[in-house]
Amino acid sequence: GESVGLHLPTLSVQEGDNSIINCAYSNSASDYFIWYKQESGKGPQFIIDIRSNMDKRQGQRVTVLLNKTVKHLSLQIAATQPGDSAVYFCAENKGSGNTPLVFGKGTRLSVIA
Amino acid sequence: SAVISQKPSRDICQRGTSLTIQCQVDSQVTMMFWYRQQPGQSLTLIATANQGSEATYESGFVIDKFPISRPNLTFSTLTVSNMSPEDSSIYLCSVDQGEAFFGQGTRLTVV
């Protein structure tokens, strides 16, 4: 479950299992959504994005699902590996370029070998 | 893609002092964004820096505390002024070139 204060929500999965990380976004006018991975001591790294005219997009081992009706975004990671352990953030903006991103709270993924 | 270099990568500073963080991009960009990431938290936008004009600050952030320079299209600085322990955070710069790219961040600890 979600904690308050300084603690990010944590998802623990066994190596090889699939991971699903969820995000609720706030702005119904947002039309561009991105998932970022942040490893310790590093800046956020782009994983996958999706525009509001789509409800699903697949990458290598990752899938993003967008449900605009309930303003919900999810990231699915197939066959989770120890290297996937990181904090994952969803972000949104209006997709017009040169506009700042609004980040979600983040989820810490911990992969158990 | 854009390559962003931030300096310093980390610093420990005394309260009451100021630290200037530099952000260098390998290509010309119109806007640069500065974010703060407090311990265990997500990223929060501080301000948007547009070359040739004053930075635009988000609610809760003011120019006197976080002055920003943008002297050209590849460089920006963020200063954290009169620091207190509450300013201990990671500070990140970002640019948008079709997708948002981030520097590796500056981890600031104020003691």
Side-chain angles (χ1 to χ4, degrees), chain B residues 78-93:
Chain B
L78 170 76
T79 299
V80 186
S81 302
N82 188 25
M83 288 184 284
S84 66
E86 292 71 33
D87 294 319
S88 298
S89 293
I90 300 172
Y91 293 85
L92 299 118
C93 67

Side-chain angles (χ1 to χ4, degrees), chain A residues 47-63:
Chain A
I47 301 173
I48 191 168
D49 60 1
I50 188 168
R51 296 205 174 269
S52 60
N53 61 351
M54 304 172 67
D55 52 22
K56 180 178 179 179
R57 189 164 187 225
Q58 288 185 288
Q60 188 176 21
R61 272 202 314 120
V62 295
T63 301

